[in-house]
Structure formats: C-alpha cells, structure tokens
Amino acid sequence: MKFTTNSIKSCTARVGMLTEFERIPNSSFETPLALVYTKRGSIPHLTKDVFKMVTSIPQMLSVSLTSTVSMFESIKDTSTNFATFVGLKEYINFLTIHDPAYSTLSGFHETDSIPVWTRNGKRVITANKYMDIVEAFRPDMYVALCDGDTNINSSKKRVSKAVQRSMTFFEQCFAKHSSSEMLKSSEILGAIEGGYDKESRKLSINYLKDKPLIGYVIDGLHNNGLDVRNISLEQIKDIAEYTINLLPAEKLKVSMGCWNPVTVLDLVELGVDIFDTSYPYVITENFEALTFLCNHINCNNVGHVISFTEERYADDFSPICSHCECFTCKNHTKAYLHHLCNTKEMLSTVLLMMHNLHQYLEFFKIIRESIKNNTFNDCKKRINSKFKQCSILRVDESTDTQDVKHKHLT
C-alpha cells in the first residue's frame, strides 16, 4: 500500500492518494477521504444493493472491533477474511478499536489489556488476543491496539499511563505483525496518544515516528459518541496543530469520530487526511436530514439539518433539496419523510441514511475539488455560514418560545 500527497508541508490542507492495495490492486482512494461507517459488518439501515444506489464509486469502509469482535470465532472457523465473511469483499476495509458513533465507557483499566464494550457486555482484549483477531479478519489497514481513554478532562497521570500502555501494546502488535504471513497484505498504523498534554503527545510521537508505518491515527482527543459533534476547533486546535507539526509530513493522518462538518474542515486545514461517516449515521438516528450543502433559495433550507419530527413538514411536498441527486430527494417529499419518521416506519431511516450518506460523500468530493482549485477558504465560509444560520435560528425559536410562555403567564 502506498500513500502519496501533493504537499509535504505540515498543517496545510492537501490532496493525497492511497494506492497499491494488495488484495484489490486496482483500488485507489483520493484524500481527504471519509471512510464509510459500518456496524456489525454492514452499513447501518442499508443493504449492499441499496448502498450501491447511494454511490457506485469504490469506497473504503471503517470497521470497529467493538461491533465485530463477536464474529471472531466464526471467521476463524471458516478460514476466510472479514470482508468475504460479511459479503463486502469488493471494499477495502480499515479496522479500528472503538465504535465512533457510541460513547466509550471510561475506566476499567488493566496493565496488559483494554476493555471493549460490545452489545453483550465487556470484552477484555490483550495485544496477543487482538492480533489473533486481526489475523483472522485480515483487514487491509488496521490500527495497533491502544489506550485512547482520554479527553480534555483527563488527568496528567491518566494521560501518561495511556501513552505508556499504548507504546507497550504497539511493540507487541508490531512484533506479531512483522512475523505474520497472514498479514503481509495488511498495513498497520500507530495511534498517537497523549490527550491534551503536549509532552505526552511528544513522547508518543517520538516513539512512533521512525517506525515503518504508512500513517498514524490521532487518538485520545475524545471518548467517541454524540458529544464529539459539539467539539469545536478552539478546543482541539492547539494540541492537534502541535501533534501534526511533529509528525512526518508525508505520512497519512487519520482522525476518527463524528466531528461536525465545520470541525472536519478545520482538521482538513491542519492536514488530517482520513475521517469516517459516523456523523451522517447519528444524524439519521435522530430523524434528521443534512442540508448544509444546500444553498438554493427555492429549498428554503436555512440551517445545516432539518428534523422530520417537526410538524412544519407535514404538508411540505418538496424534496429535502431540489438539486440533490440522491434516491430520496429524487423520489420522495418532506411530507412523506415526516409521516415515516412519526410512525416509526423502518423505511424512514433507510431513506434518510441514503440522503445523509450521499450528502457527506459529496461534501468530501467538494473538499477535494476546493483544495485542487485553491477555493478551500471559500468552501469553509459557505459551510460555516450554514451552521451559523442554524444557531441564529435556534436562538430566535428559543426567544419565541419564551415570549409565548410569558404571554401565557400574564
């Protein structure tokens, strides 16, 4: 596998290319890239055939150990790899530890293992156990076992232990990776830990930066889940910029989590190459549709999302976006989606996921084109304005609600 980029300057928006995958040699992926989020081996709410209606362009999938570890024994017994086992062998896959769409429980630390929280409870994973799973799954890319249980509130002691344990885990994982015949076609990435402590980040980076790796996962900034949507650039910029400046500029940089599109653009500007699509998934779960790319007056989409739990859409017979090319917008109205969402029909999340995933993949296409055309700043301004409009709208609605309550009381 090979990663090349048009810029080897640190902390700058750049376009790159991932090529030479051994399992699927003709696959190539341009970065900045969004890995398509999967859960238990499939794209949530979408069958394989429906997913192909969303996009016919080859995609790379993110696979979390959290949602797939229960498949280990079955995959091992069938002597096949994960991609073939779940019927997605034509897609390149990247194995990570935790599911970015769900909060990871903190604590429960042990010296030689990490807890992985599945729907059946806690699983304790050592480096040797993890590498047994990796050998059975044979992912195209994977991150070494790491302790990413840190966030902005973590103590210096917790951060220090996370770095030390992650270094030990990497040593064990890399030794087995280097000697494994089954993993010759897989790439291992190192996780940069250290929370929001610069000295700890520097220690983690210095340990990994000379290792023969294609890239790094910038980890330990959050504990996954919905709260990541509310993390702003102001919170992460200093530590993210510091981290990226110390890493080899020519190497791949990955940041998992359901970052909102504004923060994604900020991280792209700092030089991050790969993200995931857990954000459109959590938006879908909330019965919302992404509209942050829609600037068409006739659509009347003021903010970055619309919620189909709101009564205003009950008699709206227009599509989510009149210019969107997704199946949902071409065939269904807001009124129909409002009906499906309020009657809890399964089709509601199918249609919303089709739209939201299409929009998010288009978002990354726009990012790549804007970098190539030197219009990235204009792109940032447009997206930021949609989110600001939504914030203003919410304040106005809150004020209106307070006025109504006041009138009622008087």
Side-chain angles (χ1 to χ4, degrees), residues 342-361:
N342 282 275
T343 55
K344 304 295 190 295
E345 290 284 351
M346 288 179 62
L347 184 58
S348 62
T349 48
V350 173
L351 294 177
L352 286 175
M353 191 67 182
M354 291 179 77
H355 169 80
N356 290 335
L357 189 52
H358 169 84
Q359 286 280 298
Y360 212 68
L361 295 176

PDB file of all heavy atoms in Angstrom, residues 342-361:
ATOM      1  N   ASN A 342     -42.595   9.856  11.930  1.00  0.00           N
ATOM      2  CA  ASN A 342     -43.527   9.962  13.051  1.00  0.00           C
ATOM      3  C   ASN A 342     -44.329   8.687  13.291  1.00  0.00           C
ATOM      4  O   ASN A 342     -44.902   8.521  14.364  1.00  0.00           O
ATOM      5  CB  ASN A 342     -44.449  11.166  12.844  1.00  0.00           C
ATOM      6  CG  ASN A 342     -43.747  12.461  13.185  1.00  0.00           C
ATOM      7  OD1 ASN A 342     -43.700  12.873  14.336  1.00  0.00           O
ATOM      8  ND2 ASN A 342     -43.158  13.097  12.182  1.00  0.00           N
ATOM      9  N   THR A 343     -44.351   7.806  12.305  1.00  0.00           N
ATOM     10  CA  THR A 343     -44.987   6.497  12.513  1.00  0.00           C
ATOM     11  C   THR A 343     -43.943   5.411  12.762  1.00  0.00           C
ATOM     12  O   THR A 343     -44.282   4.241  12.855  1.00  0.00           O
ATOM     13  CB  THR A 343     -45.843   6.105  11.291  1.00  0.00           C
ATOM     14  OG1 THR A 343     -45.037   6.153  10.101  1.00  0.00           O
ATOM     15  CG2 THR A 343     -47.035   7.032  11.151  1.00  0.00           C
ATOM     16  N   LYS A 344     -42.655   5.842  12.866  1.00  0.00           N
ATOM     17  CA  LYS A 344     -41.541   4.942  13.179  1.00  0.00           C
ATOM     18  C   LYS A 344     -41.403   3.812  12.154  1.00  0.00           C
ATOM     19  O   LYS A 344     -41.060   2.679  12.501  1.00  0.00           O
ATOM     20  CB  LYS A 344     -41.697   4.361  14.588  1.00  0.00           C
ATOM     21  CG  LYS A 344     -41.821   5.396  15.701  1.00  0.00           C
ATOM     22  CD  LYS A 344     -40.557   6.218  15.845  1.00  0.00           C
ATOM     23  CE  LYS A 344     -40.572   7.078  17.096  1.00  0.00           C
ATOM     24  NZ  LYS A 344     -41.594   8.117  17.133  1.00  0.00           N
ATOM     25  N   GLU A 345     -41.684   4.102  10.903  1.00  0.00           N
ATOM     26  CA  GLU A 345     -41.504   3.110   9.838  1.00  0.00           C
ATOM     27  C   GLU A 345     -40.018   2.889   9.573  1.00  0.00           C
ATOM     28  O   GLU A 345     -39.225   3.832   9.561  1.00  0.00           O
ATOM     29  CB  GLU A 345     -42.187   3.585   8.558  1.00  0.00           C
ATOM     30  CG  GLU A 345     -43.699   3.581   8.602  1.00  0.00           C
ATOM     31  CD  GLU A 345     -44.283   2.185   8.457  1.00  0.00           C
ATOM     32  OE1 GLU A 345     -43.521   1.251   8.162  1.00  0.00           O
ATOM     33  OE2 GLU A 345     -45.501   2.047   8.649  1.00  0.00           O
ATOM     34  N   MET A 346     -39.606   1.650   9.340  1.00  0.00           N
ATOM     35  CA  MET A 346     -38.201   1.336   9.078  1.00  0.00           C
ATOM     36  C   MET A 346     -37.678   2.052   7.839  1.00  0.00           C
ATOM     37  O   MET A 346     -36.498   2.409   7.753  1.00  0.00           O
ATOM     38  CB  MET A 346     -38.019  -0.178   8.911  1.00  0.00           C
ATOM     39  CG  MET A 346     -38.156  -0.960  10.193  1.00  0.00           C
ATOM     40  SD  MET A 346     -37.975  -2.744   9.932  1.00  0.00           S
ATOM     41  CE  MET A 346     -36.302  -2.830   9.330  1.00  0.00           C
ATOM     42  N   LEU A 347     -38.574   2.298   6.892  1.00  0.00           N
ATOM     43  CA  LEU A 347     -38.169   2.965   5.657  1.00  0.00           C
ATOM     44  C   LEU A 347     -37.650   4.378   5.924  1.00  0.00           C
ATOM     45  O   LEU A 347     -36.855   4.906   5.137  1.00  0.00           O
ATOM     46  CB  LEU A 347     -39.352   3.011   4.680  1.00  0.00           C
ATOM     47  CG  LEU A 347     -39.087   3.602   3.289  1.00  0.00           C
ATOM     48  CD1 LEU A 347     -37.973   2.852   2.571  1.00  0.00           C
ATOM     49  CD2 LEU A 347     -40.370   3.597   2.462  1.00  0.00           C
ATOM     50  N   SER A 348     -38.082   4.991   7.037  1.00  0.00           N
ATOM     51  CA  SER A 348     -37.655   6.365   7.330  1.00  0.00           C
ATOM     52  C   SER A 348     -36.141   6.455   7.444  1.00  0.00           C
ATOM     53  O   SER A 348     -35.508   7.325   6.837  1.00  0.00           O
ATOM     54  CB  SER A 348     -38.305   6.862   8.621  1.00  0.00           C
ATOM     55  OG  SER A 348     -37.910   6.062   9.735  1.00  0.00           O
ATOM     56  N   THR A 349     -35.528   5.550   8.215  1.00  0.00           N
ATOM     57  CA  THR A 349     -34.075   5.601   8.401  1.00  0.00           C
ATOM     58  C   THR A 349     -33.328   5.131   7.150  1.00  0.00           C
ATOM     59  O   THR A 349     -32.203   5.573   6.908  1.00  0.00           O
ATOM     60  CB  THR A 349     -33.649   4.773   9.620  1.00  0.00           C
ATOM     61  OG1 THR A 349     -34.267   3.488   9.578  1.00  0.00           O
ATOM     62  CG2 THR A 349     -34.034   5.483  10.910  1.00  0.00           C
ATOM     63  N   VAL A 350     -33.947   4.275   6.370  1.00  0.00           N
ATOM     64  CA  VAL A 350     -33.323   3.859   5.104  1.00  0.00           C
ATOM     65  C   VAL A 350     -33.190   5.066   4.174  1.00  0.00           C
ATOM     66  O   VAL A 350     -32.107   5.356   3.649  1.00  0.00           O
ATOM     67  CB  VAL A 350     -34.146   2.747   4.412  1.00  0.00           C
ATOM     68  CG1 VAL A 350     -33.574   2.441   3.015  1.00  0.00           C
ATOM     69  CG2 VAL A 350     -34.164   1.484   5.257  1.00  0.00           C
ATOM     70  N   LEU A 351     -34.298   5.777   3.983  1.00  0.00           N
ATOM     71  CA  LEU A 351     -34.283   6.935   3.072  1.00  0.00           C
ATOM     72  C   LEU A 351     -33.411   8.077   3.601  1.00  0.00           C
ATOM     73  O   LEU A 351     -32.703   8.733   2.827  1.00  0.00           O
ATOM     74  CB  LEU A 351     -35.708   7.427   2.834  1.00  0.00           C
ATOM     75  CG  LEU A 351     -36.631   6.459   2.076  1.00  0.00           C
ATOM     76  CD1 LEU A 351     -38.036   7.030   1.974  1.00  0.00           C
ATOM     77  CD2 LEU A 351     -36.081   6.159   0.685  1.00  0.00           C
ATOM     78  N   LEU A 352     -33.452   8.295   4.913  1.00  0.00           N
ATOM     79  CA  LEU A 352     -32.613   9.354   5.483  1.00  0.00           C
ATOM     80  C   LEU A 352     -31.135   8.997   5.401  1.00  0.00           C
ATOM     81  O   LEU A 352     -30.298   9.848   5.094  1.00  0.00           O
ATOM     82  CB  LEU A 352     -33.013   9.624   6.935  1.00  0.00           C
ATOM     83  CG  LEU A 352     -34.318  10.385   7.143  1.00  0.00           C
ATOM     84  CD1 LEU A 352     -34.653  10.487   8.623  1.00  0.00           C
ATOM     85  CD2 LEU A 352     -34.248  11.778   6.527  1.00  0.00           C
ATOM     86  N   MET A 353     -30.812   7.729   5.641  1.00  0.00           N
ATOM     87  CA  MET A 353     -29.407   7.306   5.555  1.00  0.00           C
ATOM     88  C   MET A 353     -28.904   7.426   4.120  1.00  0.00           C
ATOM     89  O   MET A 353     -27.755   7.836   3.895  1.00  0.00           O
ATOM     90  CB  MET A 353     -29.254   5.864   6.051  1.00  0.00           C
ATOM     91  CG  MET A 353     -27.813   5.426   6.249  1.00  0.00           C
ATOM     92  SD  MET A 353     -27.015   6.318   7.605  1.00  0.00           S
ATOM     93  CE  MET A 353     -25.360   5.619   7.526  1.00  0.00           C
ATOM     94  N   MET A 354     -29.745   7.109   3.161  1.00  0.00           N
ATOM     95  CA  MET A 354     -29.345   7.249   1.750  1.00  0.00           C
ATOM     96  C   MET A 354     -29.012   8.704   1.438  1.00  0.00           C
ATOM     97  O   MET A 354     -27.991   9.009   0.808  1.00  0.00           O
ATOM     98  CB  MET A 354     -30.455   6.746   0.822  1.00  0.00           C
ATOM     99  CG  MET A 354     -30.676   5.247   0.874  1.00  0.00           C
ATOM    100  SD  MET A 354     -32.011   4.712  -0.224  1.00  0.00           S
ATOM    101  CE  MET A 354     -31.171   4.763  -1.825  1.00  0.00           C
ATOM    102  N   HIS A 355     -29.871   9.602   1.893  1.00  0.00           N
ATOM    103  CA  HIS A 355     -29.634  11.031   1.638  1.00  0.00           C
ATOM    104  C   HIS A 355     -28.410  11.537   2.391  1.00  0.00           C
ATOM    105  O   HIS A 355     -27.533  12.202   1.807  1.00  0.00           O
ATOM    106  CB  HIS A 355     -30.854  11.853   2.046  1.00  0.00           C
ATOM    107  CG  HIS A 355     -30.602  13.322   2.057  1.00  0.00           C
ATOM    108  ND1 HIS A 355     -30.605  14.100   0.910  1.00  0.00           N
ATOM    109  CD2 HIS A 355     -30.294  14.181   3.087  1.00  0.00           C
ATOM    110  CE1 HIS A 355     -30.328  15.347   1.214  1.00  0.00           C
ATOM    111  NE2 HIS A 355     -30.132  15.428   2.523  1.00  0.00           N
ATOM    112  N   ASN A 356     -28.346  11.224   3.692  1.00  0.00           N
ATOM    113  CA  ASN A 356     -27.273  11.780   4.519  1.00  0.00           C
ATOM    114  C   ASN A 356     -25.897  11.260   4.116  1.00  0.00           C
ATOM    115  O   ASN A 356     -24.919  12.018   4.101  1.00  0.00           O
ATOM    116  CB  ASN A 356     -27.545  11.476   5.994  1.00  0.00           C
ATOM    117  CG  ASN A 356     -28.718  12.272   6.537  1.00  0.00           C
ATOM    118  OD1 ASN A 356     -29.045  13.345   6.017  1.00  0.00           O
ATOM    119  ND2 ASN A 356     -29.369  11.763   7.564  1.00  0.00           N
ATOM    120  N   LEU A 357     -25.819   9.988   3.778  1.00  0.00           N
ATOM    121  CA  LEU A 357     -24.541   9.436   3.346  1.00  0.00           C
ATOM    122  C   LEU A 357     -24.130  10.020   1.996  1.00  0.00           C
ATOM    123  O   LEU A 357     -22.957  10.365   1.780  1.00  0.00           O
ATOM    124  CB  LEU A 357     -24.636   7.908   3.275  1.00  0.00           C
ATOM    125  CG  LEU A 357     -23.332   7.150   3.040  1.00  0.00           C
ATOM    126  CD1 LEU A 357     -22.255   7.556   4.036  1.00  0.00           C
ATOM    127  CD2 LEU A 357     -23.578   5.645   3.105  1.00  0.00           C
ATOM    128  N   HIS A 358     -25.099  10.156   1.089  1.00  0.00           N
ATOM    129  CA  HIS A 358     -24.818  10.782  -0.213  1.00  0.00           C
ATOM    130  C   HIS A 358     -24.283  12.202  -0.020  1.00  0.00           C
ATOM    131  O   HIS A 358     -23.284  12.600  -0.636  1.00  0.00           O
ATOM    132  CB  HIS A 358     -26.086  10.815  -1.065  1.00  0.00           C
ATOM    133  CG  HIS A 358     -25.973  11.661  -2.288  1.00  0.00           C
ATOM    134  ND1 HIS A 358     -25.415  11.198  -3.469  1.00  0.00           N
ATOM    135  CD2 HIS A 358     -26.325  12.958  -2.532  1.00  0.00           C
ATOM    136  CE1 HIS A 358     -25.432  12.164  -4.372  1.00  0.00           C
ATOM    137  NE2 HIS A 358     -25.976  13.236  -3.833  1.00  0.00           N
ATOM    138  N   GLN A 359     -24.944  12.969   0.849  1.00  0.00           N
ATOM    139  CA  GLN A 359     -24.530  14.344   1.095  1.00  0.00           C
ATOM    140  C   GLN A 359     -23.115  14.409   1.667  1.00  0.00           C
ATOM    141  O   GLN A 359     -22.306  15.262   1.278  1.00  0.00           O
ATOM    142  CB  GLN A 359     -25.513  15.019   2.058  1.00  0.00           C
ATOM    143  CG  GLN A 359     -26.843  15.379   1.439  1.00  0.00           C
ATOM    144  CD  GLN A 359     -26.761  16.667   0.632  1.00  0.00           C
ATOM    145  OE1 GLN A 359     -26.465  17.733   1.163  1.00  0.00           O
ATOM    146  NE2 GLN A 359     -27.025  16.560  -0.654  1.00  0.00           N
ATOM    147  N   TYR A 360     -22.813  13.504   2.579  1.00  0.00           N
ATOM    148  CA  TYR A 360     -21.498  13.526   3.233  1.00  0.00           C
ATOM    149  C   TYR A 360     -20.383  13.126   2.277  1.00  0.00           C
ATOM    150  O   TYR A 360     -19.295  13.710   2.309  1.00  0.00           O
ATOM    151  CB  TYR A 360     -21.512  12.609   4.452  1.00  0.00           C
ATOM    152  CG  TYR A 360     -20.614  13.089   5.569  1.00  0.00           C
ATOM    153  CD1 TYR A 360     -20.917  14.250   6.277  1.00  0.00           C
ATOM    154  CD2 TYR A 360     -19.470  12.388   5.933  1.00  0.00           C
ATOM    155  CE1 TYR A 360     -20.111  14.702   7.301  1.00  0.00           C
ATOM    156  CE2 TYR A 360     -18.654  12.827   6.962  1.00  0.00           C
ATOM    157  CZ  TYR A 360     -18.974  13.982   7.647  1.00  0.00           C
ATOM    158  OH  TYR A 360     -18.160  14.433   8.663  1.00  0.00           O
ATOM    159  N   LEU A 361     -20.651  12.159   1.420  1.00  0.00           N
ATOM    160  CA  LEU A 361     -19.650  11.783   0.415  1.00  0.00           C
ATOM    161  C   LEU A 361     -19.458  12.910  -0.593  1.00  0.00           C
ATOM    162  O   LEU A 361     -18.336  13.162  -1.055  1.00  0.00           O
ATOM    163  CB  LEU A 361     -20.069  10.485  -0.287  1.00  0.00           C
ATOM    164  CG  LEU A 361     -20.108   9.237   0.614  1.00  0.00           C
ATOM    165  CD1 LEU A 361     -20.628   8.031  -0.168  1.00  0.00           C
ATOM    166  CD2 LEU A 361     -18.733   8.932   1.205  1.00  0.00           C
TER     167      LEU A 361
END
